[in-house]
Amino acid sequence: MFRIPDGQSSVESFYTARDDGEDDLPPGSVSKQQVKQVIQNVADSILRDMPLRLLNTEDGKIYARSALITKFEESERFRSILRLTTTKSALEQKQYIFEVVKPFFEYAMLSHRWEGDEPSFKDIPQEGVYTLSTPRLDKVRNLCDKARSRKFRWAWIDTCCIDQGSSAEVQKSISSMFSWYRGSALTIIYLSDVVESSSQALLLSEWFRRGWTLQELLAAKAIQLYKKDWTPFSPKSNHKDVADILDALEFATGIQRSYLKFYSPSVEHPRMKLRWARNRVTKEKEDEAYCLMGIFGFTMSVTYGEGDHAFSRLLMEIMRRTGDATLLDWIGQPSTLNSCLPSSPSCFSNAPFATTEMCFDGLPHPVLSFALAAKVVYVFKKAIHRARNSSRVRDGRNTGQELSVDRSDEDDAPHIARTTSSQSIFSLRRSTSLPFEGIPLARLLEKPPRPYTLNAEIHITVPCFVHEVLSLYFTPVSGSYSCRADGIQPFSLVTCEKLETFTPDHHPSSRYLLARTWDPRLSYDSSNVYHITMPLLRQRLKNQFFAILLEHRRDGRFRRVSTGERIVAELERFPPQTYGVRFLHLQ
């Protein structure tokens, strides 16, 4: 028998009591105490990744994670392990013990949208949800019923399985949400506004327009959709394996089927993932960011009350980890933290602007013969070498010859042509009031800079190709501003801000700048491994690009002007090799 020391609980004694006959065990045998210790270690490894609180589907009570081991002690599964594990060789089969223990702790999660007066943790009676028949607890009871019918002892719902009075528990729960859904044996998706099993009805559900349901769908390995009356959408056990449902999910979310089947959290393709959330809403502004942490695979502090700063912090962390230039391509309301950052995922409604698949005056690359391509590369490599060693590149003085691209009248193929300094392609105004130095194209190819640098003072340094705005006037009919900038074809922009208007003869020096943010992909080939040649870089720069309008502030930094539509601009002519980026401090 086991002795229970004075002052020790039955649970503690369960793992610390010593068997009187342990010293008399035959060789190769193990005591019950040793078996219990192994079971405890296995159970701890399972419980470590489970939610902090769970509903017991049998009695309807909420149990803290640490109390689940007590329930396991009472199970026949536990007693059978004790009876069958009698030798050291059996005890060493840790994986077998794990597979026997794990099913007891399997749990189902609920994915739903909050409606009306949902019960909180403090609203669940100690006697369990089955003791009260109030409609307010119907959703919780139905969850337990459906989970129990699938042989799961445990279930979780965000309304009442998180103690909102504990900031530490809220932080832990939000940070772990994705992993909890990923670890669940089943995620039950309750669609309270779907009454029939049709794709049309499914597509209209508001569940697809909630922020938190995005990560719940991606994290879950197995899902079951339930309609308003709590009947399943399909009899199949995992609706991710039902082709019609998967087609509807793909259409409703805009997420590729491969991601829906199994999604691995990462910061790769950040703009695509932010666009997944562009049409989703959350009750709290901060949740626009918090509900995406699991999708990107990192956590950050949870501080309700910080407003759009939460999304700014999320985006800055993504920017630090990726250096993705497309994150600067957005429209809409800027963050109150920095004008270079958007205020929400809805700002990424546009698809990313194409930057690298460029061609000579609209002529695709494949029309170039190998011989001509080789000649082009050879000539321009020598030109780059001359440019790097010339004072024109170092000092910005136009003392040498420049290269341009034109089209031959004979064979309609790109050819190399030389022009003297008096035939420069175009020259950008050099305003003495702009406090920055440029990096010419040749150096951009040698060592492309990152598309931005994040600084501790909450400003962002962005390398840009800069063009001074020469005229700006409002057109009431179109509700947009018509603009002219140095070296840029006329363009228009839409903004809710009231801008200062002016003509070329009376424009404030460098008040507004049109900037093309530097994208490192411009300097690489399609494999993103090898640097391209100078002519190809100039081709890419000549093509249309997305631009941002900047207001030059008195402190020397710049503020991004918010726009309702993407600014699309284009150079008037091919850029000279003196054309280069300048580092601007945006705040």
Side-chain angles (χ1 to χ4, degrees), residues 95-167:
Q95 185 60 36
Y96 170 76
I97 296 176
F98 177 86
E99 296 297 335
V100 174
V101 173
K102 184 173 174 55
F104 180 88
F105 296 103
E106 287 183 340
Y107 60 95
M109 301 278 280
L110 181 70
S111 177
H112 69 119
R113 59 189 183 97
W114 286 45
E115 300 172 282
D117 187 21
E118 298 277 1
S120 64
F121 170 69
K122 64 181 181 180
D123 296 323
I124 303 300
Q126 293 185 349
E127 298 79 11
V129 296
Y130 298 129
T131 60
L132 294 178
S133 58
T134 58
R136 191 183 183 198
L137 296 177
D138 283 349
K139 187 185 293 186
V140 181
R141 281 193 296 268
N142 283 317
L143 166 64
C144 291
D145 289 340
K146 300 307 175 186
R148 188 173 67 253
S149 68
R150 291 288 304 272
K151 310 301 182 184
F152 299 123
R153 292 178 177 83
W154 309 102
W156 187 92
I157 178 174
D158 55 357
T159 55
C160 59
C161 290
I162 300 175
D163 183 1
Q164 299 290 342
S166 169
S167 58

Side-chain angles (χ1 to χ4, degrees), residues 437-465:
E437 296 296 329
I439 297 180
L441 298 185
R443 284 179 56 193
L444 289 178
L445 287 177
E446 287 179 348
K447 189 176 181 181
R450 287 176 58 87
Y452 38 70
T453 303
L454 305 179
N455 303 283
E457 297 84 4
I458 315 298
H459 70 263
I460 301 174
T461 302
V462 182
C464 302
F465 296 99

Side-chain angles (χ1 to χ4, degrees), residues 144-301:
C144 291
D145 289 340
K146 300 307 175 186
R148 188 173 67 253
S149 68
R150 291 288 304 272
K151 310 301 182 184
F152 299 123
R153 292 178 177 83
W154 309 102
W156 187 92
I157 178 174
D158 55 357
T159 55
C160 59
C161 290
I162 300 175
D163 183 1
Q164 299 290 342
S166 169
S167 58
E169 185 167 330
V170 171
Q171 169 79 48
K172 174 67 176 177
S173 298
I174 290 178
S175 300
S176 306
M177 200 78 72
F178 187 97
S179 63
W180 289 352
Y181 276 93
R182 174 55 52 87
S184 67
L186 175 68
T187 292
I188 293 174
I189 298 176
Y190 178 56
L191 308 174
S192 61
D193 53 356
V194 175
V195 296
E196 60 181 36
S197 297
S198 67
S199 297
Q200 292 80 4
L202 179 60
L203 294 176
L204 295 175
S205 177
E206 284 296 315
W207 182 84
F208 291 106
R209 280 157 283 281
R210 294 296 186 265
W212 284 104
T213 59
L214 175 60
Q215 76 162 358
E216 294 162 9
L217 174 63
L218 292 173
K221 292 180 291 186
I223 64 172
Q224 272 199 329
L225 279 63
Y226 283 83
K227 294 174 292 184
K228 183 177 182 178
D229 60 358
W230 284 93
T231 57
F233 203 84
S234 166
K236 296 293 182 66
S237 60
N238 183 3
H239 290 173
K240 284 192 175 185
D241 294 331
V242 180
D244 291 344
I245 294 179
L246 202 57
D247 288 340
L249 293 176
E250 185 175 12
F251 185 83
T253 62
I255 302 174
Q256 295 178 14
R257 180 181 297 242
S258 58
Y259 289 116
L260 292 173
K261 291 280 286 184
F262 183 81
Y263 175 78
S264 179
S266 75
V267 293
E268 295 180 357
H269 311 298
R271 186 187 177 85
M272 175 187 71
K273 296 171 183 178
L274 289 169
R275 294 189 74 238
W276 291 346
R278 68 187 183 277
N279 295 324
R280 293 174 177 264
V281 297
T282 58
K283 183 179 179 181
E284 303 294 339
K285 178 64 177 176
E286 296 83 356
D287 285 337
E288 291 180 343
Y290 302 155
C291 71
L292 297 176
M293 291 192 299
I295 292 175
F296 289 104
F298 62 80
T299 62
M300 59 186 194
S301 61

Side-chain angles (χ1 to χ4, degrees), residues 171 174 284-291 293 298-316 334-338 341-344 458:
Q171 169 79 48
I174 290 178
E284 303 294 339
K285 178 64 177 176
E286 296 83 356
D287 285 337
E288 291 180 343
Y290 302 155
C291 71
M293 291 192 299
F298 62 80
T299 62
M300 59 186 194
S301 61
V302 174
T303 310
Y304 284 102
E306 64 176 330
D308 64 11
H309 287 199
F311 187 71
S312 298
R313 291 195 295 118
L314 176 88
L315 200 61
M316 286 193 291
S335 166
T336 57
L337 189 64
N338 188 294
L341 300 173
S343 59
S344 74
I458 315 298

Side-chain angles (χ1 to χ4, degrees), residues 565-583:
E565 297 177 3
R566 175 187 279 150
I567 300 176
V568 178
E570 183 178 355
L571 297 178
E572 291 178 334
R573 295 180 179 143
F574 283 92
Q577 293 184 44
T578 52
Y579 185 54
V581 301
R582 288 159 173 79
F583 290 86

Side-chain angles (χ1 to χ4, degrees), residues 343-474:
S343 59
S344 74
S346 62
C347 296
F348 292 99
S349 57
N350 288 336
F353 197 85
T355 58
T356 58
E357 296 303 320
M358 305 301 180
C359 39
F360 283 94
D361 292 77
L363 195 63
H365 297 307
V367 302
L368 289 174
S369 67
F370 177 82
L372 180 58
K375 182 178 179 180
V376 169
V377 172
Y378 174 77
V379 171
F380 276 97
K381 278 188 174 180
K382 296 188 68 174
I384 292 172
H385 179 72
R386 291 196 303 271
R388 289 172 179 170
N389 295 318
S390 67
S391 59
R392 174 173 52 81
V393 172
R394 291 194 305 271
D395 304 328
R397 296 192 302 269
N398 193 13
T399 59
Q401 292 181 330
E402 295 181 335
L403 297 172
S404 68
V405 179
D406 63 5
R407 185 178 294 283
S408 170
D409 295 332
E410 298 177 1
D411 56 6
D412 198 36
H415 285 266
I416 312 300
R418 291 184 178 179
T419 63
T420 62
S421 59
S422 62
Q423 297 172 306
S424 63
I425 297 170
F426 73 100
S427 60
L428 299 177
R429 294 171 183 252
R430 299 288 184 246
S431 174
T432 56
S433 63
L434 296 180
F436 41 66
E437 296 296 329
I439 297 180
L441 298 185
R443 284 179 56 193
L444 289 178
L445 287 177
E446 287 179 348
K447 189 176 181 181
R450 287 176 58 87
Y452 38 70
T453 303
L454 305 179
N455 303 283
E457 297 84 4
I458 315 298
H459 70 263
I460 301 174
T461 302
V462 182
C464 302
F465 296 99
V466 179
H467 301 262
E468 185 176 355
V469 175
L470 305 179
S471 69
L472 188 66
Y473 61 91
F474 184 71

